[in-house]
Amino acid sequence: MMYGLLATGTLALSGAPGCAIQKKHVPDYDQDTPFILTHVNVVDVISGQVTPDAHVIIDSIGKIISMGQGPVELSPGHRVIDMKGRYLTPGLIDAHCHSTVSPVFAMRMADLVKHARQQKMNYVNTINSGVTTIRDMGAFTGMLRWFMRDIEKGRLPGPRVVYCNSILNVKGSHPEIPPSDVNFFARPASVFMGMMMSNFKGPDQLAYYLEENARGASFIKLTLDNKTIFCKKDPTLPVYSTKELDTIFGYAEKKGLPVVGHHHYVFGFDRAMEYPFHSIEHVVSDQYLSDAQVQRMADRKVAIVPTLTIAQSYLMEEAFDGIPAELKSDWVDDELKVRRHYFDMEAGNHCEPSLHAQNLAMLDNYKRYKQSSLFEHKKFLVNPELYFGMVNKGFANLKKMKDAGVLIGCGIDAGMPLNYFGGLYREFEIFQRLGFTSLEILQCATINNAKILKMDDSIGSLDPGKWADMVAFDDNPLRDVQVLRNPAMVFKQGQLMYSSRDLSGESAFSS
Ligand SMILES: [Zn+2]
């Protein structure tokens, strides 16, 4: 029985072996020749200037050589791609996601093949939405390596992946769900898939997991809260001891790895300010931060990836017969409207529709059970009040951070239920409703995220010497941020990864 299960799991998870996914609308042509984009409006995300009718020259390894206006001298080997007046931005970056995870509350045996496909589509939807680099914030490590190998070999269209392997946690802390309770094959298959959490108990295990997780990793991910996000009788969570944090930061310094911390509560925020955290993830939702707290964060140069989209996704109106007056606000009303529209009209483009429907059906449990008993019934639903708090208090806290000059990045925690890959624009549009300008939003998604990934010397803006990660749009995204929903062409490291139109027949793309 066990072997059968393993075989099924492994087969499904490797996603129908030999069946590569094609890049959408990209004809088969020799992508290793240097090329030049002509008649393109180049968006400088740092100054906000647009250079009209420009050209961009890219070398054969996928780096930008030069850019400019006016006549250009072509070497005979160059392919010329006429961009017909489109707007070119740097490839977008998603600084917080979980790419190996099928974004559901619970998995059913019968849906194994759907989940395997969804896990692959996480990467495809990402690249097709103009995102050329992701920061994976906790993965099934074995699976991550399969998918990265498939991306590298061209069998799976996907972004560049920066990762931490698994999350380094005190045993029993967030997210305190035993994986085998979500996913029936998690325990046996972890041999192949790897684990998403390294839950340590004692200094020896901590030392072991630090080394294990450092392999290939660009950072260390911790979780800082002392309280759960779930509907549960006892909300308290164990936290790292001071000694454990000293060990972790000592190791991080020795290896040159930045440390990033998950938090939803002011407890986690204050704790993060006592150590040299590089970024904190999500935003304080149980309290309005004081000016002094925010100033301290700015002074310590701690960046934030607020993932406000989770607040929108988890505005669980399903938990109430009518939303209690004390949770309501204009922000809540606006986000609820957008949430309903997204769930009904757009989510099906990003998640296998029957899996999305299962997620929505799961929300009926808010009324079926007493809230405090959901967890013990293995219904792992989040505490709705916390996320109403994230909209009301969290949004205000982020605005304060922006005014204090904190470096703000973006991501939507894709991979978590109801937060689907391909939906990074949801975060842009929340930022817009909060009063960010289009340029500021584009900066969050490019140069700011590149700094958060410590990769701003190679990605995040269109400059000679950087990778040719580029997205073309039919209109100017500085005029309207909604333009970012629909890329016309996506290049990663000089390779065309996606086109909204069929390019076969166009001479620039023939072999
Ligand atoms: Zn996350």
Side-chain angles (χ1 to χ4, degrees):
M1 168 61 199
M2 181 72 96
Y3 291 112
L5 199 67
L6 279 178
T8 326
T10 317
L11 181 72
L13 286 163
S14 55
C19 157
I21 298 181
Q22 297 300 320
K23 295 174 187 166
K24 193 166 178 198
H25 289 155
V26 177
D28 195 17
Y29 73 101
D30 178 10
Q31 291 231 29
D32 291 333
T33 45
F35 64 99
I36 173 163
L37 304 180
T38 58
H39 304 112
V40 66
N41 300 306
V42 176
V43 178
D44 181 333
V45 293
I46 294 166
S47 69
Q49 299 293 314
V50 177
T51 308
D53 201 21
H55 58 259
V56 183
I57 304 178
I58 288 97
D59 69 13
S60 57
I61 62 161
K63 282 195 171 172
I64 299 171
I65 296 190
S66 66
M67 310 191 293
Q69 283 172 301
V72 50
E73 214 175 292
L74 279 182
S75 350
H78 273 84
R79 194 180 289 276
V80 180
I81 303 176
D82 185 343
M83 297 300 280
K84 303 183 174 116
R86 294 199 181 97
Y87 288 79
L88 195 71
T89 72
L92 308 178
I93 302 168
D94 176 346
H96 190 126
C97 65
H98 302 271
S99 63
T100 58
V101 182
S102 193
V104 293
F105 289 107
M107 274 188 169
R108 297 204 291 230
M109 173 75 179
D111 294 326
L112 211 55
V113 173
K114 283 182 190 166
H115 287 294
R117 171 135 185 105
Q118 182 61 45
Q119 281 153 334
K120 287 193 160 192
M121 290 312 288
N122 288 350
Y123 298 95
V124 178
N125 293 344
T126 297
I127 194 80
N128 292 359
S129 68
V131 173
T132 49
T133 305
I134 59 172
R135 183 171 69 147
D136 188 294
M137 300 297 288
F140 294 104
T141 46
M143 275 167 74
L144 185 67
R145 282 177 174 70
W146 295 343
F147 289 130
M148 286 177 67
R149 195 186 51 219
D150 278 356
I151 291 171
E152 202 174 301
K153 301 257 184 223
R155 294 191 290 260
L156 177 63
R160 179 185 296 108
V161 184
V162 172
Y163 58 94
C164 62
N165 289 314
S166 63
I167 304 168
L168 187 63
N169 265 341
V170 184
K171 206 170 172 59
S173 74
H174 170 86
E176 67 274 23
I177 308 170
S180 51
D181 282 355
V182 177
N183 171 348
F184 71 94
F185 59 82
R187 204 185 299 263
S190 69
V191 178
F192 297 94
M193 300 194 310
M195 294 192 306
M196 198 177 149
M197 277 101 70
S198 302
N199 295 321
F200 67 86
K201 208 175 172 184
D204 292 346
Q205 267 189 351
L206 171 57
Y208 171 78
Y209 283 134
L210 274 169
E211 289 289 342
E212 249 329 81
N213 271 328
R215 291 190 303 158
S218 302
F219 61 99
I220 295 171
K221 160 105 183 266
L222 307 182
T223 68
L224 293 167
D225 287 330
N226 62 347
K227 259 193 295 191
T228 185
I229 64 168
F230 297 106
C231 292
K232 200 177 171 186
K233 226 172 258 149
D234 177 8
T236 55
L237 292 179
V239 298
Y240 308 95
S241 69
T242 308
K243 199 163 162 229
E244 286 161 349
L245 283 177
D246 290 344
T247 304
I248 293 165
F249 278 90
Y251 183 86
E253 200 185 335
K254 197 175 75 195
K255 295 276 175 175
L257 291 171
V259 182
V260 315
H262 157 110
H263 77 304
H264 277 48
Y265 295 97
V266 72
F267 174 89
F269 177 91
D270 285 338
R271 196 119 207 249
M273 295 306 131
E274 289 165 17
Y275 287 86
F277 274 91
H278 175 66
S279 72
I280 54 174
E281 309 293 317
H282 319 301
V283 67
V284 170
S285 307
D286 61 333
Q287 189 171 303
Y288 291 101
L289 291 172
S290 70
D291 292 349
Q293 279 169 308
V294 172
Q295 193 53 51
R296 186 170 182 212
M297 178 184 185
D299 293 344
R300 295 178 67 85
K301 302 215 177 314
V302 182
I304 188 160
V305 183
T307 70
L308 301 182
T309 301
I310 60 173
Q312 183 198 94
S313 291
Y314 299 157
L315 275 183
M316 302 295 196
E317 55 181 338
E318 298 80 1
F320 307 101
D321 286 323
I323 292 161
E326 67 274 17
L327 301 181
K328 287 195 85 170
S329 68
D330 290 348
W331 276 340
V332 163
D333 285 346
D334 286 351
E335 295 310 316
L336 275 174
K337 264 180 233 144
V338 179
R339 177 185 190 263
R340 287 176 204 132
H341 182 85
Y342 178 76
F343 284 177
D344 293 347
M345 309 303 293
E346 297 166 20
N349 302 328
H350 302 148
C351 180
E352 153 71 47
S354 67
L355 298 181
H356 174 56
Q358 282 176 27
N359 276 341
L360 295 183
M362 180 63 125
L363 306 183
D364 296 342
N365 290 305
Y366 277 115
K367 287 189 190 152
R368 199 167 298 147
Y369 295 92
K370 231 177 93 194
Q371 255 188 47
S372 58
S373 74
L374 279 166
F375 199 90
E376 64 186 359
H377 285 99
K378 301 193 175 178
K379 306 294 177 205
F380 304 114
L381 290 167
V382 295
N383 173 2
E385 289 188 25
L386 178 63
Y387 291 90
F388 279 85
M390 190 176 280
V391 171
N392 290 323
K393 297 171 184 142
F395 282 20
N397 289 334
L398 185 72
K399 281 185 77 154
K400 212 171 216 185
M401 290 172 194
K402 179 171 177 285
D403 293 341
V406 168
L407 182 70
I408 300 172
C410 61
I412 64 166
D413 217 351
M416 294 301 104
L418 301 169
N419 301 312
Y420 306 128
F421 286 87
L424 189 59
Y425 65 82
R426 299 170 67 193
E427 190 79 359
F428 304 155
E429 294 171 17
I430 295 176
F431 284 174
Q432 184 185 35
R433 291 190 284 280
L434 280 181
F436 287 46
T437 66
S438 300
L439 176 61
E440 286 168 342
I441 294 166
L442 199 50
Q443 286 170 339
C444 291
T446 55
I447 190 67
N448 293 7
N449 272 352
K451 286 178 183 162
I452 289 170
L453 272 62
K454 288 191 174 274
M455 290 181 74
D456 50 313
D457 57 345
S458 59
I459 59 172
S461 64
L462 298 173
D463 282 304
K466 289 197 179 186
W467 290 119
D469 289 1
M470 311 179 290
V471 194
F473 297 96
D474 289 332
D475 292 302
N476 185 353
L478 293 180
R479 218 162 17 224
D480 180 1
V481 91
Q482 294 221 352
V483 167
L484 294 173
R485 283 180 172 226
N486 297 307
M489 289 164 109
V490 181
F491 296 87
K492 181 186 77 176
Q493 223 159 296
Q495 303 276 311
L496 182 59
M497 302 297 291
Y498 164 84
S499 165
S500 61
R501 271 162 281 237
D502 190 359
L503 298 173
S504 50
E506 289 193 24
S507 62
F509 301 99
S510 56
S511 275

